[in-house]
Coordinates of all heavy atoms in Angstrom, one line a residue:
M1 N 101.8 172.0 57.0 CA 102.4 171.6 55.8 C 102.2 170.1 55.7 O 102.6 169.4 56.7 CB 103.8 172.0 55.8 CG 104.5 171.6 54.5 SD 106.3 171.9 54.5 CE 106.3 173.7 54.2
S2 N 101.6 169.6 54.7 CA 101.4 168.2 54.6 C 102.6 167.5 53.8 O 103.1 168.0 52.9 CB 100.1 167.9 53.8 OG 100.2 168.3 52.5
A3 N 103.0 166.3 54.4 CA 104.0 165.6 53.7 C 103.5 164.8 52.6 O 102.4 164.1 52.7 CB 104.7 164.7 54.7
Q4 N 104.1 164.9 51.4 CA 103.7 164.1 50.3 C 104.6 162.9 50.2 O 105.8 163.0 50.4 CB 103.7 164.9 49.0 CG 102.7 166.0 49.1 CD 102.6 166.7 47.7 OE1 103.1 166.2 46.7 NE2 101.9 167.8 47.7
P5 N 104.0 161.7 49.8 CA 104.8 160.5 49.7 C 105.8 160.7 48.5 O 105.5 161.3 47.5 CB 103.8 159.4 49.5 CG 102.6 160.1 49.0 CD 102.6 161.5 49.6
H6 N 107.0 160.1 48.7 CA 107.9 160.1 47.6 C 107.6 159.0 46.6 O 107.2 158.0 47.0 CB 109.4 159.9 48.1 CG 109.8 161.0 49.0 ND1 109.9 161.0 50.3 CD2 110.3 162.2 48.6 CE1 110.4 162.1 50.8 NE2 110.6 162.9 49.7
P7 N 107.8 159.3 45.4 CA 107.5 158.2 44.4 C 108.5 157.1 44.6 O 109.6 157.3 45.0 CB 107.7 158.9 43.0 CG 108.4 160.1 43.3 CD 108.2 160.5 44.7
A8 N 108.0 155.9 44.3 CA 108.9 154.7 44.4 C 110.0 154.8 43.4 O 109.8 155.3 42.3 CB 108.1 153.4 44.2
P9 N 111.2 154.4 43.8 CA 112.3 154.5 42.8 C 112.1 153.5 41.7 O 111.5 152.5 41.9 CB 113.5 154.1 43.7 CG 113.0 153.4 44.9 CD 111.6 153.9 45.1
S10 N 112.6 153.9 40.6 CA 112.5 153.0 39.4 C 113.4 151.7 39.7 O 114.5 151.8 40.2 CB 113.1 153.7 38.2 OG 113.2 152.8 37.1
T11 N 112.8 150.6 39.4 CA 113.5 149.3 39.6 C 113.9 148.6 38.3 O 113.8 147.4 38.2 CB 112.7 148.4 40.5 OG1 111.4 148.2 39.8 CG2 112.5 149.0 41.9
V12 N 114.2 149.4 37.3 CA 114.6 148.8 36.0 C 115.9 148.1 36.2 O 116.9 148.7 36.7 CB 114.7 149.9 34.9 CG1 115.2 149.2 33.6 CG2 113.3 150.5 34.6
L13 N 115.9 146.8 35.9 CA 117.1 146.0 36.1 C 118.2 146.3 35.1 O 117.9 146.4 33.9 CB 116.7 144.5 36.0 CG 117.7 143.5 36.3 CD1 118.1 143.6 37.7 CD2 117.1 142.1 36.0
A14 N 119.4 146.5 35.6 CA 120.5 146.8 34.6 C 121.1 145.4 34.3 O 121.4 144.6 35.1 CB 121.6 147.6 35.3
V15 N 121.2 145.2 33.0 CA 121.7 143.9 32.5 C 123.1 144.2 32.0 O 123.4 145.1 31.2 CB 120.9 143.4 31.3 CG1 121.5 142.1 30.8 CG2 119.4 143.1 31.8
S16 N 124.1 143.4 32.4 CA 125.5 143.7 32.1 C 125.9 143.2 30.8 O 125.7 142.0 30.5 CB 126.4 143.0 33.2 OG 127.7 142.9 32.8
E17 N 126.5 144.0 29.9 CA 127.0 143.6 28.7 C 128.2 142.6 28.9 O 128.3 141.6 28.1 CB 127.5 144.8 27.8 CG 126.4 145.5 27.2 CD 126.9 146.6 26.2 OE1 128.1 146.8 26.1 OE2 126.0 147.2 25.6
D18 N 129.0 142.8 29.9 CA 130.0 141.8 30.3 C 129.5 140.4 30.6 O 130.0 139.4 30.1 CB 130.9 142.3 31.4 CG 131.7 143.5 31.1 OD1 131.9 143.8 29.9 OD2 132.1 144.3 32.0
D19 N 128.4 140.4 31.3 CA 127.7 139.2 31.6 C 127.2 138.5 30.4 O 127.3 137.2 30.2 CB 126.6 139.4 32.6 CG 126.2 138.2 33.5 OD1 127.0 137.3 33.6 OD2 125.2 138.3 34.1
I20 N 126.5 139.2 29.5 CA 126.0 138.7 28.3 C 127.2 138.2 27.4 O 127.1 137.1 26.9 CB 125.2 139.7 27.5 CG1 124.0 140.2 28.3 CG2 124.8 139.2 26.1 CD1 123.3 141.4 27.7
A21 N 128.2 138.9 27.3 CA 129.4 138.5 26.5 C 130.0 137.2 27.0 O 130.3 136.3 26.3 CB 130.4 139.6 26.4
A22 N 130.1 137.1 28.4 CA 130.6 135.9 29.0 C 129.8 134.7 28.6 O 130.3 133.6 28.3 CB 130.7 136.1 30.5
F23 N 128.4 134.9 28.7 CA 127.5 133.8 28.3 C 127.7 133.4 26.9 O 127.8 132.2 26.5 CB 126.1 134.1 28.6 CG 125.1 133.0 28.2 CD1 125.0 131.9 29.0 CD2 124.4 133.2 27.0 CE1 124.2 130.9 28.6 CE2 123.6 132.2 26.6 CZ 123.4 131.0 27.4
V24 N 127.7 134.4 26.0 CA 127.8 134.1 24.6 C 129.1 133.4 24.2 O 129.1 132.4 23.5 CB 127.7 135.4 23.7 CG1 128.1 135.2 22.3 CG2 126.3 136.0 23.8
V25 N 130.2 133.8 24.8 CA 131.5 133.1 24.6 C 131.5 131.7 25.2 O 131.9 130.8 24.5 CB 132.6 134.0 25.2 CG1 133.9 133.2 25.4 CG2 132.9 135.3 24.4
E26 N 131.0 131.6 26.4 CA 130.9 130.2 27.0 C 130.1 129.2 26.2 O 130.6 128.1 25.9 CB 130.3 130.3 28.4 CG 130.1 129.0 29.1 CD 129.4 129.1 30.4 OE1 129.6 130.1 31.1 OE2 128.6 128.2 30.7
R27 N 129.0 129.7 25.6 CA 128.1 128.8 24.9 C 128.4 128.6 23.4 O 128.1 127.6 22.8 CB 126.6 129.2 25.1 CG 126.1 129.1 26.5 CD 125.9 127.7 27.0 NE 124.6 127.3 26.6 CZ 124.2 126.1 26.6 NH1 125.0 125.1 26.9 NH2 123.0 125.8 26.3
F28 N 128.8 129.7 22.8 CA 128.9 129.8 21.4 C 130.3 130.0 20.8 O 130.5 129.8 19.6 CB 128.0 130.8 20.8 CG 126.5 130.7 21.3 CD1 126.0 131.5 22.3 CD2 125.7 129.7 20.8 CE1 124.7 131.3 22.7 CE2 124.4 129.5 21.2 CZ 123.9 130.3 22.2
L29 N 131.2 130.5 21.6 CA 132.6 130.9 21.1 C 133.7 130.3 22.1 O 134.5 131.2 22.6 CB 132.7 132.4 21.0 CG 132.0 133.0 19.8 CD1 132.0 134.5 20.0 CD2 132.5 132.6 18.5
P30 N 133.7 129.0 22.4 CA 134.7 128.6 23.4 C 136.1 128.9 22.9 O 136.4 128.9 21.7 CB 134.4 127.1 23.4 CG 133.5 126.7 22.3 CD 132.9 128.0 21.8
G31 N 136.9 129.3 23.8 CA 138.3 129.6 23.5 C 138.5 131.1 23.2 O 139.7 131.5 23.2
V32 N 137.5 131.8 23.1 CA 137.6 133.3 22.9 C 137.5 134.0 24.3 O 136.7 133.6 25.1 CB 136.5 133.8 21.9 CG1 136.5 135.3 21.8 CG2 136.6 133.1 20.6
D33 N 138.3 135.0 24.4 CA 138.2 135.8 25.7 C 136.9 136.8 25.5 O 136.8 137.5 24.6 CB 139.5 136.7 25.8 CG 139.5 137.4 27.1 OD1 138.5 137.5 27.8 OD2 140.6 138.0 27.4
A34 N 136.1 136.7 26.6 CA 134.9 137.5 26.5 C 135.2 139.0 26.4 O 134.4 139.8 25.8 CB 134.0 137.2 27.8
A35 N 136.3 139.4 27.0 CA 136.7 140.8 26.9 C 137.0 141.3 25.4 O 136.9 142.5 25.1 CB 137.9 141.1 27.8
E36 N 137.2 140.3 24.6 CA 137.6 140.6 23.2 C 136.3 140.7 22.3 O 136.4 141.2 21.2 CB 138.5 139.6 22.6 CG 139.9 139.6 23.2 CD 140.7 138.5 22.6 OE1 140.4 137.9 21.6 OE2 141.7 138.2 23.3
L37 N 135.2 140.3 22.8 CA 133.9 140.4 22.1 C 133.3 141.8 22.1 O 132.8 142.2 23.2 CB 132.9 139.3 22.6 CG 131.6 139.2 21.9 CD1 131.8 138.9 20.4 CD2 130.7 138.2 22.6
D38 N 133.4 142.5 21.0 CA 132.9 143.8 20.9 C 131.3 143.8 21.1 O 130.7 142.9 20.5 CB 133.2 144.4 19.6 CG 132.8 145.9 19.4 OD1 131.6 146.1 19.0 OD2 133.6 146.8 19.7
A39 N 130.8 144.7 21.8 CA 129.4 144.8 22.1 C 128.5 144.9 20.8 O 127.4 144.6 20.8 CB 129.1 146.0 23.0
E40 N 129.1 145.4 19.7 CA 128.4 145.6 18.5 C 128.7 144.5 17.4 O 128.3 144.6 16.3 CB 128.5 147.0 17.9 CG 128.0 148.0 18.9 CD 126.5 147.8 19.3 OE1 125.7 147.4 18.4 OE2 126.3 147.9 20.5
Y41 N 129.5 143.5 17.8 CA 129.9 142.5 16.8 C 128.6 141.7 16.4 O 127.8 141.3 17.3 CB 130.9 141.5 17.5 CG 131.4 140.4 16.6 CD1 132.3 140.6 15.7 CD2 130.9 139.1 16.8 CE1 132.8 139.6 14.9 CE2 131.4 138.1 16.0 CZ 132.3 138.3 15.0 OH 132.7 137.3 14.3
D42 N 128.4 141.5 15.1 CA 127.2 140.9 14.6 C 127.2 139.4 14.8 O 127.9 138.7 14.0 CB 127.0 141.3 13.1 CG 125.6 141.0 12.7 OD1 125.0 140.0 13.1 OD2 125.1 141.8 11.8
L43 N 126.5 138.9 15.8 CA 126.5 137.5 16.1 C 125.8 136.7 15.1 O 126.1 135.5 14.9 CB 125.9 137.3 17.5 CG 126.6 138.1 18.7 CD1 125.7 138.0 19.9 CD2 128.0 137.5 18.9
L44 N 124.8 137.3 14.5 CA 124.0 136.5 13.5 C 124.7 136.5 12.1 O 124.7 135.4 11.5 CB 122.6 137.1 13.4 CG 121.7 136.9 14.7 CD1 120.6 137.9 14.7 CD2 121.3 135.5 14.8
A45 N 125.1 137.6 11.6 CA 125.7 137.6 10.3 C 127.0 136.8 10.3 O 127.4 136.3 9.2 CB 126.1 139.1 9.9
T46 N 127.7 136.6 11.4 CA 128.9 135.8 11.5 C 128.6 134.4 11.9 O 129.5 133.6 12.1 CB 129.9 136.4 12.4 OG1 129.3 136.6 13.7 CG2 130.4 137.8 11.9
A47 N 127.3 134.0 12.0 CA 126.9 132.7 12.3 C 127.3 132.2 13.7 O 127.5 131.0 14.0 CB 127.3 131.7 11.2
V48 N 127.6 133.1 14.6 CA 127.9 132.7 16.0 C 126.7 132.1 16.6 O 126.7 131.1 17.3 CB 128.5 133.9 16.8 CG1 128.6 133.6 18.3 CG2 129.8 134.4 16.2
I49 N 125.6 132.8 16.4 CA 124.3 132.3 16.9 C 123.3 132.2 15.7 O 123.5 132.8 14.7 CB 123.7 133.1 18.0 CG1 123.3 134.5 17.6 CG2 124.6 133.1 19.2 CD1 122.5 135.3 18.6
D50 N 122.3 131.4 15.9 CA 121.2 131.2 14.9 C 119.9 131.4 15.7 O 119.9 131.8 16.9 CB 121.3 129.9 14.2 CG 121.3 128.7 15.1 OD1 121.0 128.8 16.3 OD2 121.7 127.6 14.6
S51 N 118.8 131.0 15.1 CA 117.5 131.2 15.8 C 117.4 130.3 17.1 O 116.9 130.8 18.1 CB 116.3 130.8 14.9 OG 116.5 129.4 14.4
L52 N 118.1 129.2 17.1 CA 118.1 128.4 18.3 C 119.0 129.1 19.4 O 118.6 129.1 20.6 CB 118.7 127.0 18.1 CG 118.7 126.0 19.2 CD1 117.3 125.9 19.8 CD2 119.2 124.7 18.8
G53 N 120.0 129.8 18.9 CA 120.9 130.5 19.8 C 120.1 131.7 20.5 O 120.3 132.0 21.7
V54 N 119.2 132.3 19.7 CA 118.4 133.4 20.2 C 117.5 132.9 21.3 O 117.4 133.5 22.4 CB 117.5 134.0 19.1 CG1 116.4 134.9 19.7 CG2 118.4 134.8 18.1
L55 N 116.9 131.7 21.1 CA 116.1 131.1 22.2 C 116.9 130.7 23.4 O 116.4 130.9 24.5 CB 115.4 129.9 21.6 CG 114.4 130.1 20.5 CD1 113.8 128.8 20.0 CD2 113.3 131.1 21.0
R56 N 118.1 130.2 23.2 CA 119.0 129.9 24.4 C 119.3 131.1 25.1 O 119.4 131.1 26.4 CB 120.2 129.2 23.9 CG 120.0 127.8 23.5 CD 121.3 127.0 23.1 NE 121.0 125.7 22.8 CZ 121.7 125.0 22.0 NH1 122.8 125.5 21.4 NH2 121.4 123.7 21.7
I57 N 119.6 132.2 24.5 CA 120.0 133.5 25.2 C 118.7 134.0 25.9 O 118.8 134.4 27.1 CB 120.5 134.5 24.2 CG1 121.9 134.1 23.6 CG2 120.6 135.9 24.9 CD1 122.4 134.8 22.5
A58 N 117.6 133.9 25.3 CA 116.3 134.3 26.0 C 116.1 133.5 27.2 O 115.7 134.0 28.3 CB 115.1 134.3 25.0
E59 N 116.3 132.2 27.1 CA 116.2 131.3 28.3 C 117.2 131.7 29.4 O 116.8 131.7 30.6 CB 116.3 129.9 27.9 CG 116.2 128.9 29.0 CD 116.4 127.5 28.5 OE1 117.0 127.2 27.5 OE2 115.9 126.6 29.3
W60 N 118.4 132.0 29.0 CA 119.4 132.4 30.0 C 119.0 133.7 30.7 O 119.2 133.8 31.9 CB 120.7 132.5 29.3 CG 121.8 133.1 30.1 CD1 122.5 132.5 31.1 CD2 122.3 134.5 30.1 NE1 123.4 133.3 31.7 CE2 123.3 134.6 31.1 CE3 122.0 135.6 29.4 CZ2 124.0 135.7 31.3 CZ3 122.6 136.7 29.6 CH2 123.6 136.8 30.6
L61 N 118.5 134.7 29.9 CA 118.0 135.9 30.5 C 116.9 135.6 31.5 O 116.9 136.3 32.6 CB 117.5 136.9 29.4 CG 118.5 137.5 28.5 CD1 117.9 138.2 27.3 CD2 119.4 138.5 29.3
A62 N 116.0 134.7 31.2 CA 114.9 134.3 32.2 C 115.5 133.7 33.4 O 115.1 134.0 34.5 CB 113.9 133.4 31.5
D63 N 116.5 132.8 33.3 CA 117.1 132.2 34.4 C 118.0 133.1 35.3 O 117.9 133.1 36.4 CB 118.0 131.0 34.0 CG 117.2 129.8 33.4 OD1 115.9 129.8 33.6 OD2 117.8 129.0 32.7
R64 N 118.8 133.9 34.6 CA 119.8 134.7 35.2 C 119.2 136.0 35.8 O 119.5 136.4 36.9 CB 120.9 135.1 34.2 CG 121.9 136.1 34.7 CD 123.1 135.5 35.3 NE 124.1 136.5 35.5 CZ 124.8 136.5 36.6 NH1 124.6 135.6 37.6 NH2 125.7 137.5 36.8
Y65 N 118.4 136.7 35.0 CA 117.8 137.9 35.4 C 116.3 137.9 35.7 O 115.8 139.0 36.1 CB 118.1 139.0 34.3 CG 119.6 139.4 34.2 CD1 120.3 138.8 33.2 CD2 120.2 140.3 35.0 CE1 121.7 139.2 33.0 CE2 121.5 140.6 34.9 CZ 122.2 140.1 33.9 OH 123.5 140.4 33.7
R66 N 115.7 136.8 35.5 CA 114.2 136.7 35.7 C 113.5 137.6 34.7 O 112.5 138.2 35.1 CB 113.8 136.9 37.1 CG 114.4 135.8 38.1 CD 114.0 135.9 39.5 NE 112.5 136.1 39.7 CZ 111.7 135.0 39.7 NH1 112.1 133.8 39.6 NH2 110.4 135.2 39.9
I67 N 114.1 137.8 33.5 CA 113.4 138.6 32.5 C 112.9 137.7 31.4 O 113.6 136.9 30.9 CB 114.5 139.6 31.9 CG1 115.0 140.6 32.9 CG2 113.9 140.3 30.6 CD1 116.2 141.4 32.4
V68 N 111.6 137.9 31.1 CA 111.0 137.1 30.1 C 110.8 138.1 28.8 O 110.1 139.1 28.9 CB 109.6 136.6 30.5 CG1 108.9 135.9 29.3 CG2 109.7 135.7 31.7
V69 N 111.6 137.7 27.8 CA 111.5 138.5 26.6 C 110.2 138.0 25.8 O 110.1 136.9 25.5 CB 112.7 138.4 25.7 CG1 112.6 139.1 24.4 CG2 114.0 138.8 26.5
P70 N 109.3 139.0 25.5 CA 108.1 138.6 24.8 C 108.4 137.9 23.5 O 109.4 138.3 22.8 CB 107.3 139.9 24.6 CG 107.9 140.8 25.6 CD 109.3 140.4 25.8
D71 N 107.6 137.0 23.0 CA 107.8 136.3 21.7 C 108.0 137.3 20.6 O 108.8 137.1 19.7 CB 106.7 135.4 21.4 CG 106.7 134.2 22.3 OD1 107.7 133.9 23.0 OD2 105.7 133.4 22.3
T72 N 107.2 138.4 20.6 CA 107.3 139.4 19.6 C 108.7 140.1 19.5 O 109.0 140.7 18.5 CB 106.2 140.5 19.7 OG1 106.3 141.1 21.0 CG2 104.8 139.8 19.6
E73 N 109.4 140.0 20.6 CA 110.7 140.7 20.6 C 111.9 139.7 20.3 O 113.0 140.1 20.3 CB 111.0 141.3 22.0 CG 110.0 142.4 22.4 CD 110.2 143.6 21.5 OE1 111.3 144.0 21.3 OE2 109.2 144.1 20.9
L74 N 111.6 138.4 20.1 CA 112.6 137.5 19.7 C 112.9 137.5 18.2 O 112.7 136.6 17.4 CB 112.1 136.0 20.1 CG 111.9 135.8 21.6 CD1 111.3 134.4 21.8 CD2 113.2 135.9 22.4
T75 N 113.5 138.7 17.8 CA 113.8 138.9 16.5 C 115.3 139.0 16.3 O 116.1 139.3 17.2 CB 113.2 140.3 16.0 OG1 113.8 141.3 16.7 CG2 111.7 140.3 16.2
S76 N 115.8 138.9 15.0 CA 117.2 139.0 14.8 C 117.7 140.3 15.1 O 118.9 140.5 15.6 CB 117.5 138.6 13.3 OG 116.8 139.5 12.4
R77 N 117.0 141.4 14.9 CA 117.4 142.7 15.2 C 117.7 142.9 16.7 O 118.7 143.5 17.1 CB 116.3 143.7 14.8 CG 116.7 145.2 15.0 CD 115.5 146.1 14.8 NE 114.5 145.6 15.7 CZ 113.3 146.2 16.0 NH1 113.1 147.3 15.4 NH2 112.5 145.6 16.8
N78 N 116.9 142.2 17.5 CA 117.0 142.4 19.0 C 118.1 141.5 19.6 O 118.5 141.7 20.8 CB 115.7 142.1 19.7 CG 114.7 143.2 19.4 OD1 115.1 144.3 19.1 ND2 113.4 142.9 19.5
F79 N 118.6 140.6 18.8 CA 119.7 139.6 19.3 C 120.9 139.6 18.4 O 121.7 138.7 18.5 CB 119.1 138.2 19.4 CG 118.2 138.1 20.6 CD1 116.9 138.5 20.6 CD2 118.6 137.5 21.8 CE1 116.0 138.4 21.7 CE2 117.8 137.4 22.9 CZ 116.5 137.9 22.9
R80 N 121.0 140.6 17.6 CA 122.1 140.7 16.6 C 123.5 140.9 17.3 O 124.5 140.4 16.8 CB 121.9 141.9 15.7 CG 122.9 142.0 14.6 CD 122.5 142.7 13.4 NE 121.3 142.2 12.8 CZ 121.2 141.1 12.0 NH1 122.2 140.4 11.8 NH2 120.1 140.8 11.5
S81 N 123.5 141.6 18.5 CA 124.8 141.8 19.1 C 124.6 141.8 20.6 O 123.5 141.8 21.1 CB 125.4 143.2 18.7 OG 124.5 144.2 19.2
V82 N 125.7 141.8 21.4 CA 125.6 141.9 22.8 C 124.9 143.2 23.2 O 124.0 143.2 24.1 CB 127.0 141.9 23.5 CG1 127.0 142.2 24.9 CG2 127.7 140.5 23.2
G83 N 125.2 144.3 22.6 CA 124.5 145.6 22.9 C 123.0 145.5 22.6 O 122.2 146.0 23.4
A84 N 122.6 144.9 21.5 CA 121.2 144.7 21.2 C 120.5 143.8 22.2 O 119.4 144.1 22.6 CB 121.0 144.2 19.8
I85 N 121.2 142.8 22.6 CA 120.6 141.9 23.6 C 120.4 142.6 24.9 O 119.3 142.5 25.6 CB 121.5 140.6 23.9 CG1 121.6 139.8 22.6 CG2 121.0 139.8 25.0 CD1 122.7 138.8 22.6
R86 N 121.4 143.4 25.3 CA 121.2 144.2 26.6 C 120.0 145.1 26.5 O 119.2 145.2 27.4 CB 122.5 145.0 26.9 CG 122.3 145.8 28.2 CD 123.4 146.8 28.4 NE 123.7 147.6 27.2 CZ 122.9 148.7 26.7 NH1 121.8 149.0 27.4 NH2 123.2 149.3 25.6
S87 N 119.9 145.9 25.4 CA 118.8 146.8 25.2 C 117.5 146.1 25.2 O 116.5 146.5 25.8 CB 119.0 147.6 23.9 OG 120.1 148.4 23.9
T88 N 117.4 145.0 24.6 CA 116.1 144.2 24.5 C 115.8 143.7 25.9 O 114.6 143.8 26.3 CB 116.3 143.0 23.6 OG1 116.6 143.5 22.2 CG2 115.1 142.1 23.5
A89 N 116.8 143.2 26.6 CA 116.5 142.7 28.0 C 116.1 143.8 28.9 O 115.1 143.6 29.7 CB 117.8 142.0 28.6
E90 N 116.7 145.0 28.8 CA 116.3 146.1 29.7 C 114.9 146.6 29.3 O 114.1 147.0 30.2 CB 117.4 147.2 29.6 CG 118.6 146.8 30.3 CD 119.7 147.8 30.3 OE1 119.6 148.8 29.6 OE2 120.7 147.6 31.1
R91 N 114.5 146.6 28.0 CA 113.2 147.0 27.7 C 112.2 146.0 28.2 O 111.1 146.4 28.7 CB 113.0 147.1 26.1 CG 113.5 148.3 25.5 CD 113.0 148.5 24.0 NE 113.2 147.3 23.2 CZ 114.3 146.9 22.6 NH1 115.4 147.6 22.7 NH2 114.3 145.8 21.9
A92 N 112.5 144.7 28.1 CA 111.6 143.7 28.7 C 111.5 143.8 30.2 O 110.4 143.7 30.7 CB 112.1 142.3 28.3
A93 N 112.6 144.1 30.9 CA 112.6 144.3 32.3 C 111.7 145.5 32.7 O 111.1 145.5 33.8 CB 114.0 144.4 32.9
A94 N 111.8 146.6 31.9 CA 111.0 147.8 32.2 C 109.5 147.6 32.0 O 108.7 148.3 32.6 CB 111.5 148.9 31.4
G95 N 109.2 146.6 31.1 CA 107.8 146.4 30.8 C 107.2 145.2 31.6 O 107.5 145.0 32.8
E96 N 106.4 144.5 30.9 CA 105.8 143.3 31.5 C 106.6 142.1 31.5 O 106.2 141.0 32.0 CB 104.5 143.0 30.8 CG 103.5 144.2 30.9 CD 103.0 144.5 32.3 OE1 102.8 143.5 33.0 OE2 103.0 145.6 32.7
G97 N 107.8 142.2 31.0 CA 108.7 141.0 30.9 C 109.4 140.6 32.1 O 110.1 139.6 32.1
H98 N 109.4 141.3 33.2 CA 110.1 141.0 34.4 C 109.2 140.3 35.4 O 108.2 140.9 35.8 CB 110.7 142.2 35.0 CG 111.7 142.0 36.1 ND1 111.4 142.2 37.4 CD2 113.0 141.5 36.0 CE1 112.5 141.8 38.1 NE2 113.5 141.5 37.3
V99 N 109.6 139.1 35.9 CA 108.7 138.3 36.8 C 109.3 138.3 38.2 O 110.4 138.5 38.4 CB 108.5 136.9 36.3 CG1 107.6 136.9 35.0 CG2 109.7 136.1 36.1

């Protein structure tokens, strides 16, 4: 009986919504408790972040998680909420965006 090699485990990086919320609060909502920031709260429609904020969050993802979000993914839809940011980061980590 021949032994077959086991496939390598998936190494998709899990990005924490709590971590993202803490960063957003620290940089854009001082004085707010990160635990109070709902994962689906619309950060763009409420002017918590703008296009420069999207770039700052993308830079933070690169520094904190070593995830590079492709330029084509730097859209308002992908950075509208903490949940959307997490999903975008995890997609980038699963693809070519993880260095």
Side-chain angles (χ1 to χ4, degrees):
M1 181 184 281
S2 66
Q4 294 190 10
H6 291 103
S10 173
T11 57
V12 174
L13 186 62
V15 180
S16 164
E17 283 186 358
D18 291 340
D19 204 16
I20 295 168
F23 176 77
V24 168
V25 165
E26 175 187 320
R27 295 290 272 165
F28 306 103
L29 290 169
V32 172
D33 184 350
E36 294 177 16
L37 182 58
D38 184 273
E40 297 309 315
Y41 182 76
D42 195 324
L43 301 168
L44 291 163
T46 57
V48 171
I49 63 171
D50 56 14
S51 57
L52 185 55
V54 168
L55 294 176
R56 286 186 177 153
I57 294 168
E59 179 181 20
W60 173 78
L61 288 169
D63 291 344
R64 171 95 171 134
Y65 290 100
R66 299 184 49 85
I67 294 171
V68 176
V69 178
D71 290 347
T72 57
E73 295 296 311
L74 296 175
T75 65
S76 59
R77 181 190 57 172
N78 290 336
F79 285 81
R80 184 160 302 284
S81 67
V82 168
I85 295 166
R86 180 194 46 78
S87 295
T88 300
E90 289 181 349
R91 278 194 316 276
E96 297 298 315
H98 192 256
V99 293

